[in-house]
Amino acid sequence: MMTSDRRFYLLLVRACVLALLAAVACACSKIPQGRFAVDSVEILNAKQISAGDVEDKISTVESTKFLMLFRGIAYDYAVYDEATLQHDMARIERFYHSKGFFDAQARVAHVIRVSPRHVRVEIVVDEGPPIHNRNVTVVGLEGLPVDVANAAQRAASGALPRGARFDEDQFKTAKKAVTRALTDRGYAYANVDTDAEVDIGAHVADYGFKLTPGPRAVFGAITFEGVQDSWKSGGKLREGIPAGPLFRAIDIKPGQTYSTADIESATQALLDLGVFASVQIVPTLPEVPPPDHVVPLVVKAEPNRLHQLQLGGGIELDEIKTDIHAVASWEDRNFLGGLRDFSATFKPGLVAYPYRINNWEGAPQPLLEEWFKTELRQPGFPEARTNAFIRPQFNVFPLLVELNPAPNTPVVGYREVKVPVGLDRTFWKKLYVALDYTFQVENPFAYVDALDPALHTIFLSYPELVTHLDFRDNAVKPHEGIYLSNTLQIAGGIFGGSAADIRIQPEVRTYVPIAHGVTFATRASVGFLWSSNYGKNWQSELQSSAETTTAGQGAMLTQAQQEARSNLERDIQIMFFRGFFSGGPTTNRGYPLLGIGPHGVVPFLNPATASQQVYFSCDPNMGTNGNGVHFDPSRCYLPVGGFTLWEFQNEVRVDVSGPLSISAFCDMGDVSPNETDIRLDHLHMSVGLGAAYDTPAGPIRVDVGYRIEPLEILGVKDEHTISDPTLGDPTNGVQPTVLSVPIAVSIGIGEAF
């Protein structure tokens, strides 16, 4: 007999298939009558210049494939045009010339019919020998200070190194670099003339730079467009924005030596205040410099709204829980004046326990939760570009980690108070640094059943250093670049608290453009936790956690049993808040949230009585009962966190049409119960597909990940063997399935990384 869960998933699959077929039928395009579709474009003989780079410069392109498989679906066919191809031949030669191949020729183009309405285009190129850089001459350095002259010379020679291949774009970059060497050092009116002489026979290029530095200038008055006497910081600008904090952020004083770098830094500082949508600082540079060589600045800025209220709500559905919640947030960007930024977000919710993505049986038991987060930022403290912040939080939530909770299983909740206080600053528009001190309180209480008497309030106290180095082209939807980050925390010791440890987690993300609208993205991270007062024998504690939890049933516990149970509960409770976990929509999408990592029997989440433990198969001492029931690690071993983490994610993202994009991914990683233990044989590899739809709040993403069972732990053939107490190690955990298939489904907002 088919279960209700199975019927539900079959109906869902059928609906998705029908919707996909309907979308495909509506999205088919046609080739115009009498024309031909271009199936492929190949650049032959391209050796020193990438064929892909050449293809990007021409208008004859191949028809885009939907899902990289089918032409004419979702995208229009690319249609062949003979006149366009002839222009493309000239474009190719011009592109080669700009890259130093002055003898290059696009010799011939072949148009090959591959079917009655489809053609393949082949363009043969003859690159010839390249031109190389030889000499760089800079004139006009006389009279300049030695440091300025040296900077200009280094800028020219560094951009055009001897022996490198001629590159027209690099030549333009060199001119900008030499100009910046002067304008960054006071020469606001500097002019640079350039010349390049190419010896075709010798295949070398010589460059000349003629500098006209002009007078050394200083900054003058700063005014905001449309506002008089802006330097008098007691006034207010449009939208009630006080002028004083703006000038403090700009941090440029009249009489200060002119610098383009200072103008760029001031522009970014104004944007970082969050009160402007756009900022442009324009120097006033007449053709004839004034006698006093003073350069006034005009700030052109478009203000944001200073006050903002947002209301919303949502539903969370995964393998752990189902909840519905509302969201209300308020932000005041001029709180009590001084451009202090105050924000508060309140998210009350209701968890329909124990409903989750693969279980809808029985009557739900509502569990109330709430998340209340505030932040107050003070700009310009203690110096112009540094911000002070305090971020108090008060949260109430159930600790839900069980995939298959038995009825009447205890549900523990926590009242959480978390208060980070610190400073942050952005350097050179790329490097973000934040240093804070966090005090955290975790107070347990019972949602369901009585609270285990061994549980007690956890106090955490630690300084934290966070750094981000961002070279991505777009922070929301990156296509190219690299992103580096690191988090370092030191808890306990002189800072006090229940946990004494060092926790560090560096991460690197890379984004490589494969083609227009196609991105290859990777994310790699490692995490290390070193503890001095908890979990020192974590692996053995977890392996014996079932016996520790059920010891002394029907009798008084011995002192050793009491101590073992007390240590286990204390260590587990701290590890929930300090240990590493992996799995879920932003790490490994073939696994549920918290699914990867050490598992153990958690006394305060285990069925409370001996009869319940036997009934729900949570007593390791039980034999097979009359109904064939025996100890079941899938019900009793829960994720508890580990000491060493590694994660590696790979993803190809393809823009399909408008706001819709798809992706194919391969995720892997592990969390070990031991310190400094990178287990590369524990791959936990999963592959899958995802789809995303862009919205103002970020892309809404759906991912389906499939676990490759032989590649979860090398040498172990499947998940049953991994978790079997006699064949494997149940501390590795048991993963949920959907329709008996080892997959996980995740829904989220924003890219996975």
Side-chain angles (χ1 to χ4, degrees):
M1 183 176 179
M2 187 178 294
T3 65
S4 60
D5 280 353
R6 186 175 179 80
R7 284 196 299 270
F8 170 78
Y9 282 110
L10 286 176
L11 288 173
L12 181 61
V13 170
R14 289 172 184 169
C16 291
V17 171
L18 290 174
L20 179 60
L21 291 175
V24 169
C26 295
C28 294
S29 61
K30 295 182 180 180
I31 303 172
Q33 188 66 31
R35 307 293 294 277
F36 297 91
V38 180
D39 281 6
S40 66
V41 177
E42 294 183 74
I43 307 297
L44 304 180
N45 270 4
K47 298 175 182 177
Q48 300 190 66
I49 298 293
S50 165
D53 291 342
V54 178
E55 291 169 11
D56 287 341
K57 301 299 179 181
I58 63 178
S59 298
T60 302
V61 296
E62 67 179 46
S63 301
T64 304
K65 294 180 180 180
F66 177 66
L67 300 180
M68 295 178 285
L69 296 173
F70 310 105
R71 296 187 181 91
I73 296 176
Y75 300 97
D76 290 333
Y77 283 106
V79 179
Y80 169 71
D81 182 89
E82 183 177 356
T84 299
L85 181 58
Q86 293 303 315
H87 287 300
D88 284 337
M89 302 284 281
R91 291 188 185 100
I92 290 173
E93 292 187 357
R94 176 68 187 89
F95 175 65
Y96 264 99
H97 295 170
S98 72
K99 295 300 180 183
F101 295 88
F102 283 76
D103 296 326
Q105 292 181 329
R107 290 193 288 110
V108 66
H110 299 139
V111 181
I112 304 167
R113 186 178 296 187
V114 296
S115 70
R117 303 293 301 279
H118 295 260
V119 297
R120 184 177 79 247
V121 177
E122 295 179 347
I123 300 174
V124 182
V125 299
D126 184 2
E127 293 180 330
I131 302 294
H132 291 95
N133 300 338
R134 185 169 61 182
N135 298 321
V136 177
T137 303
V138 182
V139 298
L141 300 175
E142 304 82 6
L144 289 175
V146 174
D147 63 323
V148 178
N150 290 341
Q153 185 70 59
R154 286 194 305 269
S157 302
L160 301 167
R162 186 181 182 88
R165 192 180 70 222
F166 173 90
D167 189 298
E168 195 173 278
D169 291 337
Q170 197 62 32
F171 184 36
K172 295 176 182 177
T173 299
K175 179 179 179 179
K176 293 178 182 178
V178 174
T179 304
R180 280 295 299 264
L182 298 174
T183 60
D184 281 355
R185 293 167 175 81
Y187 295 88
Y189 298 91
N191 182 62
V192 178
D193 293 319
T194 60
D195 185 38
E197 294 184 358
V198 177
D199 187 332
I200 300 294
H203 297 101
V204 294
D206 296 320
Y207 304 94
F209 294 84
K210 181 181 179 181
L211 311 187
T212 307
R216 201 164 195 179
V218 296
F219 287 117
I222 302 173
T223 59
F224 279 75
E225 191 173 51
V227 180
Q228 300 299 319
D229 298 324
S230 291
W231 185 253
K232 297 178 180 178
S233 59
K236 291 186 177 181
L237 309 182
R238 286 184 299 165
E239 309 295 335
I241 299 174
L246 300 181
F247 289 111
R248 179 169 174 79
I250 292 172
D251 198 28
I252 293 176
K253 302 297 187 294
Q256 181 178 322
T257 300
Y258 180 91
S259 169
T260 309
D262 287 347
I263 293 175
E264 289 185 351
S265 180
T267 301
Q268 186 61 44
L270 288 177
L271 288 170
D272 289 342
L273 291 174
V275 297
F276 295 116
S278 63
V279 174
Q280 184 182 15
I281 301 179
V282 181
T284 302
L285 297 169
E287 278 192 32
V288 179
D292 57 6
H293 308 150
V294 172
V295 180
L297 300 177
V298 177
V299 182
K300 301 178 180 181
E302 185 62 36
N304 280 322
R305 281 185 287 182
L306 294 182
H307 307 93
Q308 189 170 13
L309 173 66
Q310 293 182 323
L311 300 173
I315 296 176
E316 180 179 347
L317 176 62
D318 55 34
E319 292 86 352
I320 298 295
K321 70 174 183 178
T322 297
D323 84 5
I324 181 170
H325 56 264
V327 179
S329 65
W330 168 257
E331 184 171 12
D332 184 345
R333 292 190 173 95
N334 191 28
F335 182 69
L336 300 178
L339 291 185
R340 297 176 185 87
D341 190 317
F342 174 77
S343 62
T345 301
F346 180 54
K347 188 174 80 170
L350 186 147
V351 177
Y353 178 81
Y355 284 178
R356 54 202 182 281
I357 199 169
N358 55 357
N359 177 52
W360 302 97
E361 297 179 356
Q365 182 171 355
L367 307 179
L368 297 177
E369 62 178 358
E370 66 83 19
W371 305 84
F372 182 59
K373 301 180 180 180
T374 62
E375 180 177 11
L376 177 63
R377 294 178 63 82
Q378 170 65 60
F381 179 89
E383 57 90 39
R385 304 289 167 76
T386 301
N387 305 301
F389 62 82
I390 180 170
R391 299 171 180 151
Q393 301 179 25
F394 177 68
N395 309 312
V396 179
F397 57 90
L399 182 65
L400 298 177
V401 295
E402 297 170 273
L403 300 174
N404 299 292
N408 299 319
T409 296
V411 177
V412 173
Y414 279 89
R415 305 178 188 94
E416 177 181 74
V417 177
K418 191 174 183 180
V419 186
V421 180
L423 304 171
D424 65 9
R425 195 187 197 281
T426 299
F427 298 86
W428 312 296
K429 298 192 294 185
K430 300 295 183 183
L431 175 62
Y432 170 82
V433 180
L435 178 63
D436 68 68
Y437 167 75
T438 297
F439 181 72
Q440 185 174 342
V441 180
E442 303 291 345
N443 175 242
F445 68 95
Y447 272 105
V448 177
D449 209 345
L451 187 67
D452 191 304
L455 287 181
H456 58 277
T457 300
I458 295 291
F459 297 93
L460 301 175
S461 177
Y462 53 89
E464 178 180 49
L465 176 64
V466 178
T467 55
H468 301 160
L469 189 57
D470 194 347
F471 293 102
R472 296 173 296 179
D473 59 345
N474 186 295
V476 176
K477 196 172 182 179
H479 180 57
E480 182 178 4
I482 186 170
Y483 176 87
L484 306 170
S485 68
N486 186 56
T487 301
L488 171 64
Q489 299 175 354
I490 302 176
I494 61 174
F495 305 106
S498 305
D501 60 42
I502 299 175
R503 193 180 194 274
I504 185 171
Q505 185 175 3
E507 179 179 306
V508 57
R509 306 177 189 179
T510 63
Y511 306 88
V512 179
I514 298 177
H516 178 71
V518 182
T519 306
F520 177 60
T522 68
R523 171 186 171 271
S525 179
V526 293
F528 299 100
L529 177 65
W530 296 280
S531 163
S532 60
N533 72 337
Y534 64 91
K536 296 308 294 179
N537 298 295
W538 195 224
Q539 176 72 41
S540 61
E541 270 195 273
L542 297 179
Q543 289 175 337
S544 60
S545 60
E547 289 79 8
T548 302
T549 300
T550 58
Q553 296 288 0
M556 295 293 293
L557 294 176
T558 66
Q559 183 175 352
Q561 291 171 331
Q562 289 177 339
E563 185 176 343
R565 183 183 175 100
S566 177
N567 289 340
L568 177 64
E569 294 207 18
R570 176 181 179 276
D571 289 354
I572 286 177
Q573 196 177 196
I574 294 177
M575 286 298 289
F576 274 133
F577 299 103
R578 298 297 292 164
F580 291 108
F581 294 88
S582 188
T586 60
T587 55
N588 194 320
R589 287 158 281 186
Y591 290 79
L593 198 65
L594 315 181
I596 298 176
H599 286 59
V601 175
V602 181
F604 50 86
L605 298 180
N606 204 53
T609 67
S611 61
Q612 284 181 317
Q613 290 165 4
V614 171
Y615 183 79
F616 295 119
S617 308
C618 287
D619 185 352
N621 302 310
M622 65 188 293
T624 301
N625 62 21
N627 297 321
V629 178
H630 55 82
F631 178 66
D632 183 3
S634 68
R635 284 191 168 190
C636 309
Y637 277 78
L638 309 177
V640 292
F643 283 93
T644 307
L645 168 142
W646 71 267
E647 293 171 333
F648 185 43
Q649 297 177 261
N650 301 272
E651 181 171 281
V652 176
R653 301 170 182 170
V654 182
D655 294 335
V656 176
S657 179
L660 179 64
S661 61
I662 60 173
S663 61
F665 59 83
C666 176
D667 298 339
M668 62 190 80
D670 179 55
V671 179
S672 169
N674 304 310
E675 294 181 355
T676 320
D677 181 28
I678 300 290
R679 304 186 300 184
L680 296 180
D681 58 339
H682 286 57
L683 293 179
H684 298 102
M685 184 178 290
S686 66
V687 296
L689 298 173
Y693 190 89
D694 290 338
T695 71
I700 297 177
R701 196 182 77 255
V702 179
D703 294 312
V704 179
Y706 174 81
R707 299 188 293 276
I708 305 177
E709 294 187 78
L711 296 181
E712 292 191 48
I713 298 179
L714 299 183
V716 183
K717 62 179 182 179
D718 55 37
E719 292 184 342
H720 172 74
T721 305
I722 291 172
S723 61
D724 191 295
T726 59
L727 301 176
D729 182 359
T731 63
N732 287 302
V734 178
Q735 308 304 328
T737 60
V738 176
L739 294 177
S740 300
V741 179
I743 65 174
V745 180
S746 57
I747 301 174
I749 295 180
E751 298 288 359
F753 56 90

